[in-house]
Structure formats: structure tokens, C-alpha cells
Amino acid sequence: MNGRTLRTLAVKDLKEVQQNRAAWIPALVVPLIFMVVLPLGIILAPNLMQSMSPLMAPSGPVGMMRERIPALAAELAGLDERQAWVVLMTGYFFAPFILIFPLMFSTIVASESFAGERERKTIEALLYTPASDGELFLGKMLAAFVPAVALTWVSFLVYGVVVNGAGWPVMGRVWFPPVSWWPLMLWVAPAVAALGVAATVLISTRARTFMEAYQMSASLVVLVLALVAGQITGVLYLSPPVALAVGLVLWLIDGVLIRLGVRTFRREALLISGRG
Amino acid sequence: MVPVIETESLSRFFGPIRAVDGLTFQVYEGEVFGLLGPNGAGKTTTVRLLNGVLRPSGGQARVLGLDPAREGGRLRQQTGVLTETLSLYERLTARENLALFGALYGIPEMELARRVARMLEEFGLADRADGRVGEFSKGMKQRLALARALLHEPPLLFLDEPTAGLDPEAARQVTEMIGQLSRREGRTVFLCTHNLTEAQRLCDRVAVMDRGRLLALGTLEELSRTFWPGLPVEIGLGAPLTDAAVGALRRLPGVRDVQHEDLWLTVSVTDENMVPAVVETLVREGARILHVVPRQPSLEEIYFAIRGDQAS
């Protein structure tokens, strides 16, 4: 593998995506909603309510979560109703949602990289370069993986500022992120990004247009939604050990997909599957 | 003559479609070799096979001494390809496009910026170097794509329909550039085209292909001898010709055909040694001859003769 070739391919893809508004505007709007608008609404919502008791009662959502997940109950111990609400909603419910971002960012760039190139008929000149099939595959992967992880971490940072800032009157201290977020951000999110990229690049070699590839790979979001559902229903609490295990499984799947991609990816597939 | 491309029964099938069907030919160092044929003849698939972008279904090829199917990376280091669709990144600038491909072709970073600037200058794009390619005219894009194909100084150049869609002026510019590449720089050029005038101006040898198969191969003279028997001699007259004179010409041994229209006469003879006898006969019959021009058939005439021959 030639490092310069990989870097050149990756930088080129990033420049192309940067120029494609249709690709990156959703990548800014969705995090803005999830990382700024929704947490602000959740933190400020109790100001509009006369009493939080229905939420916090043993039969209410917060009470039920406390009962189902003892570890969570320990985290919420000693907090008043409003503090428990902020910690539960922004520190617990939202945790798996952020995993949508590495998936979304990576699938956008990766869809653009092969299917988008074929759609714009730019892929052929690239196939005539000395870059090997493996280098083309990995270069495209790198172009999607690095910004996906970087943007996820930036979103995490913005979320931290919003939650701590808006929550300051209630919490009186910088409390976010709780310890359970670190393995999610440093271990699981990159694994999700790699999964999105590897699957999308494999899909992109078969799809004809950017949108077709993006829509096919977007179905991966089901995995993240399963984590969200697990967390909300209390079936799967993403505590650090669980997050480490989930991440490990994802990395193993990534390894298999990347290996499969490097071994089976053939430049002629991009020409043949594009034949109309 | 050193062959730089050798193929032996090279084939590529896509399901039931025989895109390339048993091609056997050689291309020699320094020549401009034209591959002619209608759309769908298999020209682009041949270029892809010769560069290792597609794998053959059968047969084999050696290009610059390498097997494209197994040594594609090393081979593509030494070939430059102008693709029919140009494949330029329209959101990037001309300079960025060239720098990207220069890096992929392994031009050292220290040299890359200088080489890119030189190519932009040579191809008349220096003043638009930092303009987005999407805003370029078709002719400018064609020149940029040609510059990209030459950036790494390959000894073998594949040009797929290099003047397609260009206005006559831009097409002429590109044709002249290709001629220079061969004559001045000694590069081997493999030219795929259905522009027969362009092929006649540029090519040392041509091959005609249709539906994946090679119909004919040779120099213009060789093809002319095979597919256009006889030499057309055009004769301009000062007065209409009598029927007796036409009859006398037709009876002359070595005359294959006589076409007569007003003050023009086209006599097809076996070879140019017959020209004095034709003139002598006409003078004897009282014809007023203004000029006599033995004319080689054009590539276009030969091409249609080959296609017609195949169809019959």
C-alpha cells in the first residue's frame, strides 16, 4: 500500500464532498437539531411544567428506568427531580443517538466517493491510474472515515457545551460527559463509522447513483436504532463494559468487511455494474 | 520494428455480448495506430483490456512487455489514457485535477507543481489554471484531459475519441497536438476514433473493427490495394466527351470502370502505369483535356468498402 496514493485519494474525495452542498448540508442540519435544539428543549421543558412529579413517580418514565437499571439508579441518587431529569434525558437517552452521526457522515462521503463518481462519469480516469484495487478501496474508505469520526467528536463537543451551559442553572456544575460516554465516543463511534464506510463502499460498487448508494447504506441505521431502543426500554444499558463489548463486536464486523472489500474489490466491477 | 502492443485472440464477453472477439494485432513503437469502427464496435473495451482495467474472457495481450491482466499497476504507470468521457473533476480547478493525477502517477512531490505548471502552459490553460473545470469550454476540457494523460510522460498513449464533440477549430488544435506527440516526441499513439479524416491525417496504420471483430488492418496503401482495387484517375475536360471516346476508354485493357458526368471523367485503372494510355486514347478521340489527377482513395472510401465487403 502506497501512503501517498491513499492520502491523495482521500484528500480528493474530501474536496469533492466539500463542494457538494447536497452532501454536506444534511450533515450539518441533523447534528444541529440533535445536539443543540433537542437538548435545549429537554433541559428547558420543566420550566413550562407545573410539576415534574408525574415524570418522576415510580410509575412515570424516570421512575421506571430507575427501577429497571440499578446502575442508573445509583447515578441518579442524591439528585433532585429536575437534576435527575436532565441527567437521565441528556446523559442517558441521548447517548446512543449520537452514534447515528458517524454512520450518517460516513455513508454520505462513501456514497459520494464511488457511486457519485460513477454518476458524474469521473471514475474511469481514476481506474486508469497505477493505484491498485486495494489502494482505491482503502483510499475511499479513509476519505469517509476520518471526517466521520472528526465530525462526530465535534458534535460531541458542541453537545457537551450546550448541555453543561443550559443545564448550569439546574446542575450548578459541569457534569457532562458522564463516564459511560467515553467508551461510546472513543471506541464505539469510530467502529460505527468504519462499519458505515466499509458497507457503503461495498454497496457503492454496485449502486449506480449517489442517492441509490446512500439510501441502501442508510438502512444500517437500524443497528443504531436497536441500540437506542435497547437503551430507552432498559434492555441494554450502554454502561462502559457493555459499550466496550458492543464496540468489539462492531470492530470485528468491520475487520471482516474491510478484509472482504480489499480482497474482492475489483476496479472492473465499477465499469461492469455501471453498464446500462 | 519493436512491438509495444501484441494481442493474440484477445476477447471479452459480457454475458451473451461479444464486446471484443478474438483480436490479434500488433502496434509498433513510435507509430500512430488507429482503431476505427462505429459506436459499439468494441474500441473502448479494447483500450480497457490493454490497460488491465478489464480482464479478458479469453486470449492474451502484452503491452510494453507486461501482461495487463496481471501487471496492470506497473503497466498503467507507463500509459496515458484520454477517456472518451474525459473524467475530469469539474468541482476542482485545472491545477488541482492535474496535481491529483500527478500524485497518483507517482510524480515526486518536489517536481509535481513545476510539471503541472508546465503542462498548463503548454496546453494553453495557464491563465485558467485556478478556475473550476466545470466552467471550462469543451475544447479546454479536452486539452486539460490530454495534459493529464501526458503528465507522467508515458511512452504509450491511448486516445479514445479525442475530438468528439469539439468544434472544427478546437478539433484541429487537438489533432495537431496529437501529431506533434508522435512526430516530435516519438510516442506511440493508439487512437480510437470514428472520425475518418482525423485518422487519415494522423495514422500510420489503421485497424477497422465492428461488433468486436477485426475486419481489416494495414497502412492506407495496403488497405487500398485489398479493398479498393484500381486507381481512380480524375480528368477535367474542356468540352463534353463523345460516346465513342467513352467506349474507347472502356475497351482499353487495364481500365476497370469509367464514370462520366458533364465535364468530369473518373477512370478507374489497375495502376498508375495505365495513365498515359488513357490520356493517349482521349487525345486520339479528340477530347480537350484540362487536367489529369490520379487520386488515392480516401480512408473514408476504403472504410466503407471494408464495411460493405463485410456486410456482403
Side-chain angles (χ1 to χ4, degrees):
Chain A
M1 290 287 161
N2 182 326
R4 188 180 175 214
T5 300
L6 294 182
R7 197 178 69 235
T8 304
L9 288 168
V11 169
K12 189 276 299 172
D13 270 6
L14 288 176
K15 275 188 184 166
E16 281 257 291
V17 172
Q18 195 188 338
Q19 306 278 347
N20 183 0
R21 283 187 187 180
W24 61 256
I25 285 180
L28 288 184
V29 173
V30 177
L32 193 72
I33 293 168
F34 271 86
M35 299 287 95
V36 179
V37 179
L38 283 179
L40 276 178
I42 284 166
I43 292 169
L44 301 175
N47 295 336
L48 306 171
M49 297 165 74
Q50 286 185 334
S51 165
M52 295 199 64
S53 300
L55 291 174
M56 310 307 286
S59 59
V62 179
M64 278 169 65
M65 298 309 295
R66 273 185 161 143
E67 199 175 303
R68 281 186 192 168
I69 308 167
L72 185 62
E75 275 184 44
L76 300 179
L79 300 179
D80 65 26
E81 284 185 341
R82 284 199 61 177
Q83 287 173 332
W85 168 256
V86 169
V87 170
L88 183 73
M89 296 304 289
T90 60
Y92 172 76
F93 275 172
F94 262 76
F97 272 115
I98 202 164
L99 295 179
I100 289 173
F101 300 155
L103 196 61
M104 188 180 80
F105 296 143
S106 63
T107 51
I108 286 173
V109 182
S111 304
E112 164 77 14
S113 74
F114 270 132
E117 277 216 39
R118 193 164 56 205
E119 196 178 350
R120 293 189 301 278
K121 296 185 165 60
T122 53
I123 194 87
E124 191 157 4
L126 206 57
L127 303 182
Y128 279 112
T129 66
S132 68
D133 293 350
E135 283 165 347
L136 283 175
F137 184 82
L138 285 180
K140 296 280 184 188
M141 274 204 64
L142 202 63
F145 178 77
V146 171
V149 173
L151 283 169
T152 303
W153 287 347
V154 169
S155 302
F156 171 53
L157 189 72
V158 170
Y159 185 69
V161 170
V162 169
V163 167
N164 282 315
W168 184 267
V170 179
M171 303 300 291
R173 63 188 168 91
V174 173
W175 67 275
F176 185 89
V179 73
S180 59
W181 277 67
W182 291 112
L184 274 186
M185 286 297 98
L186 301 177
W187 177 244
V188 183
V192 171
L195 179 71
V197 176
T200 309
V201 173
L202 284 171
I203 290 167
S204 293
T205 59
R206 288 154 185 84
R208 283 196 192 144
T209 63
F210 159 71
M211 282 314 286
E212 191 181 328
Y214 181 48
Q215 281 161 4
M216 282 163 81
S217 52
S219 55
L220 283 172
V221 85
V222 170
L223 283 177
V224 177
L225 291 179
L227 290 177
V228 172
Q231 179 98 324
I232 290 173
T233 57
V235 173
L236 183 76
Y237 173 47
L238 284 171
S239 62
V242 172
L244 289 173
V246 168
L248 183 65
V249 171
L250 289 173
W251 278 117
L252 287 173
I253 297 170
D254 292 343
V256 171
L257 286 181
I258 293 168
R259 198 175 156 77
L260 184 75
V262 172
R263 287 182 62 176
T264 62
F265 175 76
R266 295 283 172 267
R267 66 214 306 126
E268 77 166 51
L270 293 169
L271 293 171
I272 295 168
S273 58
R275 286 170 73 90
Chain B
M1 286 195 288
V2 184
V4 291
I5 300 176
E6 291 175 278
T7 70
E8 177 82 40
S9 305
L10 188 66
S11 303
R12 175 67 206 221
F13 309 142
F14 297 103
I17 300 165
R18 292 169 173 261
V20 170
D21 192 1
L23 287 191
T24 300
F25 64 89
Q26 292 185 324
V27 176
Y28 301 106
E29 190 175 8
E31 76 172 330
V32 179
F33 182 89
L35 189 58
L36 315 181
N39 289 333
K43 304 187 296 288
T44 300
T45 303
T46 304
V47 172
R48 288 172 175 172
L49 287 167
L50 294 177
N51 280 276
V53 172
L54 284 181
R55 284 162 188 266
S57 306
Q60 50 197 319
R62 303 289 294 178
V63 180
L64 297 165
L66 300 167
D67 177 353
R70 290 189 296 114
E71 300 164 289
R74 275 176 64 203
L75 169 62
R76 290 189 294 271
Q77 190 73 54
Q78 301 173 65
T79 61
V81 183
L82 174 70
T83 51
E84 190 181 358
T85 52
L86 298 188
S87 304
L88 292 164
Y89 292 103
E90 302 216 339
R91 295 181 190 137
L92 305 184
T93 67
R95 195 189 302 280
E96 284 170 338
N97 265 279
L98 291 188
L100 158 71
F101 281 88
L104 293 176
Y105 278 104
I107 297 171
E109 283 191 49
M110 298 282 282
E111 201 192 326
L112 185 55
R114 190 184 56 75
R115 184 95 64 98
V116 166
R118 196 189 75 206
M119 294 307 279
L120 288 167
E121 186 70 46
E122 272 182 29
F123 284 82
L125 296 165
D127 56 334
R128 298 290 301 274
D130 297 308
R132 283 235 205 122
V133 172
E135 292 157 8
F136 283 14
S137 69
K138 182 86 170 62
M140 289 166 75
K141 287 178 185 172
Q142 201 85 3
R143 279 184 278 144
L144 181 62
L146 195 53
R148 180 187 61 195
L150 287 164
L151 189 63
H152 56 298
E153 300 179 341
L156 174 58
L157 202 56
F158 291 87
L159 307 175
D160 197 353
E161 305 291 357
T163 56
L166 293 184
D167 62 56
E169 199 175 325
R172 191 185 177 88
Q173 247 181 356
V174 170
T175 306
E176 278 168 9
M177 278 177 183
I178 297 166
Q180 278 177 11
L181 290 170
S182 164
R183 286 190 299 274
R184 204 175 64 189
E185 301 178 22
R187 291 180 210 272
T188 309
V189 178
F190 188 99
L191 176 70
C192 294
T193 184
H194 45 221
N195 182 333
L196 301 171
T197 314
E198 174 184 283
Q200 178 159 8
R201 279 184 66 187
L202 289 170
C203 297
D204 298 306
R205 289 191 307 142
V206 295
V208 179
M209 167 173 205
D210 193 15
R211 281 172 282 184
R213 300 186 66 193
L214 202 62
L215 305 183
L217 168 66
T219 61
L220 194 59
E221 289 71 28
E222 287 166 348
L223 294 177
S224 166
R225 273 200 300 274
T226 313
F227 294 95
W228 194 272
L231 174 73
V233 180
E234 288 183 347
I235 300 167
L237 303 166
L241 205 58
T242 61
D243 289 346
V246 174
L249 278 178
R250 288 208 165 113
R251 284 193 298 275
L252 212 59
V255 169
R256 290 168 176 272
D257 188 30
V258 178
Q259 300 286 328
H260 178 219
E261 194 178 325
D262 298 330
L263 300 175
W264 280 98
L265 184 66
T266 304
V267 184
S268 184
V269 296
T270 47
D271 60 67
E272 61 185 358
N273 292 324
M274 280 300 301
V275 176
V278 168
V279 174
E280 216 175 275
T281 305
L282 286 170
V283 170
R284 201 170 50 235
E285 294 292 329
R288 290 187 60 209
I289 299 173
L290 299 182
H291 54 256
V292 178
V293 186
R295 184 176 62 80
Q296 283 288 342
S298 68
L299 180 57
E300 187 174 339
E301 287 166 321
I302 296 170
Y303 174 83
F304 285 109
I306 294 168
R307 302 275 322 274
D309 190 56
Q310 185 67 19
S312 62

